[in-house]
Each structure stands twice: as C-alpha cells, then as structure tokens.
Amino acid sequence: MTKLSAKQSRILNFLRQFLEEKGYPPSIRDIVKGCKVSSTSVVEYNLRVLEKEGYIRRDPEVSRGIELSPRNRAIVRVPVIGYIAAGEPIPVPSADTWSALGAAESLELTQELTRGKEGVYALKVKGTSMVDALINDGDLVLMQHVETAEDGDMVAVWLKREKEATLKRFYLERGRVRLQPANEEMKPIYADPEDVEIQGKVIGVIRKVE
C-alpha cells in the first residue's frame, strides 16, 4: 500500500467511525459532509484510490456499497458465556459459571458487528419464541451489557423470584413488565418490575447454518 494523503486518511477514518457507530456504510454525501470535502466528485476520486490500494471494497450496484477490507477492520474478542432460552425460561448458570464459559469459548468479530459497543458478549439461543425476529434455536445473539431498556428492545432478562432468564422484547406497562415473544403461538410473560433485572440488549445475531 502507498502512503495515503491527509484527505484519504481522513475519509478512511470517517468510514471506520461511521461503521462502528451506525452499523452500516455512509453515503457519498455523508462523506462530503463528515469530512468537509468540496464535492462528491472529490470523494469519488479518493474512494477509487482507497479501493485501488486495498483499503476498502466497493459494490457499484449497491447504495452505500462501501466496506473496509478485512485487514483494515478492527477485531474484537467476544466471549460466549452460555445459553439463554428463547422459549419458556430456563435456569441460567451463576456468574462464576458464566465467567468460566467465557474463558473457554469466544468469537473474533469486527467492530462493524459489535457496532463499537463496550461490554459485548454472546449467548447461544435455546428455543423458538423469537423466530419471527429471525432468531432461531442454535443461533448466537450478540448482547450489549445494559441495565435499562426502552419499549420494544430485545433483551436478556433475569427473573429474580424464579431465578430464571429469558430472551424477549421488553415493554413496561402500568404496574407490570410484559416480556413479549416473537412467535404467534406463544404467550407473553408478565412480571412485577421489581422481579425483572435486565442483563443485556440484543445488538446482532449470528445465525446457525444448517
């Protein structure tokens, strides 16, 4: 690779940051605005240079069809810390057990997949209650460690009274929490807000290939 100009380095850094924050590539106009470049033709020229030098790949048939080449993607290690039910709740291991599992198995993923988030971990899904959200038995869900959620977020929830965990969409209703499956054949779980501890929010899915 040849040495990049200051403008090309600025565009490449903008691409990395945009992908980490948004999870999808910027448009040409996003780059013009974000890098304070004079015109779309200047961006096009510099993208051609970046592609020729192997920093990026482009698909001319796809809108926003820009991606970083593998050697320019930051790699993060994500621990796989156990299983979570996506059907009826099942008991989960203790924190010590999850730590041991995380040490034994991990994934190497790009920051595009983890969206640049901190505290990301993976869980193996058991059950079919989230099939309408394209999460099937055997898939891996990427979780960001959070303790709060907004209505509609897909979260891993610890039910303290039952000492069980489940993967559902979260809704706070009057005096209760509704944990909604994404499967028409299954009913929601209702719980006292004091009984619900949010352990993480889904930020991505790695599907099992049959």
Side-chain angles (χ1 to χ4, degrees), residues 25 28 44 51 57-67:
I28 299 298
E44 283 285 0
E51 184 177 22
R57 294 174 179 172
R58 299 184 71 190
D59 186 342
E61 303 299 323
V62 178
S63 176
R64 298 177 181 267
I66 306 171
E67 64 176 22

Side-chain angles (χ1 to χ4, degrees), residues 146-155 168-172 178 198 201:
V146 296
E147 297 179 352
T148 60
E150 298 181 359
D151 282 357
D153 282 349
M154 196 182 307
V155 294
K168 297 287 185 292
R169 289 201 183 275
F170 173 91
Y171 294 93
L172 182 60
R178 172 166 54 93
I198 296 167
K201 179 171 69 172

Side-chain angles (χ1 to χ4, degrees), residues 4-187:
L4 298 179
S5 69
K7 185 172 294 182
Q8 289 155 7
S9 295
R10 189 162 69 248
I11 291 173
L12 185 60
N13 289 332
F14 177 79
L15 284 169
R16 288 195 185 106
Q17 185 176 356
F18 194 99
L19 282 163
E20 288 173 12
E21 292 179 357
K22 306 288 188 180
Y24 56 86
S27 67
I28 299 298
R29 294 194 178 278
D30 287 332
I31 299 172
V32 168
K33 183 178 179 181
C35 296
K36 296 180 170 58
V37 179
S38 59
S39 68
T40 57
S41 60
V42 172
V43 171
E44 283 285 0
Y45 167 78
N46 286 285
L47 288 177
R48 285 196 296 271
V49 173
L50 291 173
E51 184 177 22
K52 180 181 177 182
E53 295 297 326
Y55 288 93
I56 64 172
R57 294 174 179 172
R58 299 184 71 190
D59 186 342
E61 303 299 323
V62 178
S63 176
R64 298 177 181 267
I66 306 171
E67 64 176 22
L68 296 174
S69 62
R71 58 185 167 181
N72 282 287
R73 297 175 183 172
I75 301 298
V76 294
R77 189 176 295 275
V78 174
V80 181
I81 61 174
Y83 288 88
I84 188 164
E88 292 301 311
I90 61 171
V92 295
S94 67
D96 290 340
T97 307
W98 281 35
S99 296
L101 285 168
E105 185 177 0
S106 63
L107 304 169
E108 289 189 348
L109 304 174
T110 68
Q111 286 192 353
E112 293 170 63
L113 289 174
T114 62
R115 301 186 184 182
K117 306 289 186 183
E118 298 291 333
V120 175
Y121 60 94
L123 293 170
K124 295 180 181 179
V125 175
K126 282 187 175 180
T128 59
S129 78
M130 303 304 289
V131 292
D132 293 341
L134 302 180
I135 297 178
N136 294 298
D137 184 68
D139 289 346
L140 285 165
V141 284
L142 301 180
M143 309 294 300
Q144 179 191 9
H145 177 68
V146 296
E147 297 179 352
T148 60
E150 298 181 359
D151 282 357
D153 282 349
M154 196 182 307
V155 294
V157 169
W158 173 254
L159 298 172
K160 292 182 280 188
R161 189 176 300 123
E162 296 82 357
K163 299 189 185 313
E164 295 174 329
T166 189
L167 183 69
K168 297 287 185 292
R169 289 201 183 275
F170 173 91
Y171 294 93
L172 182 60
E173 300 180 340
R174 185 176 298 178
R176 68 182 184 182
V177 169
R178 172 166 54 93
L179 301 174
Q180 184 68 43
N183 185 329
E184 293 181 354
E185 297 180 359
M186 296 184 178
K187 296 180 179 180

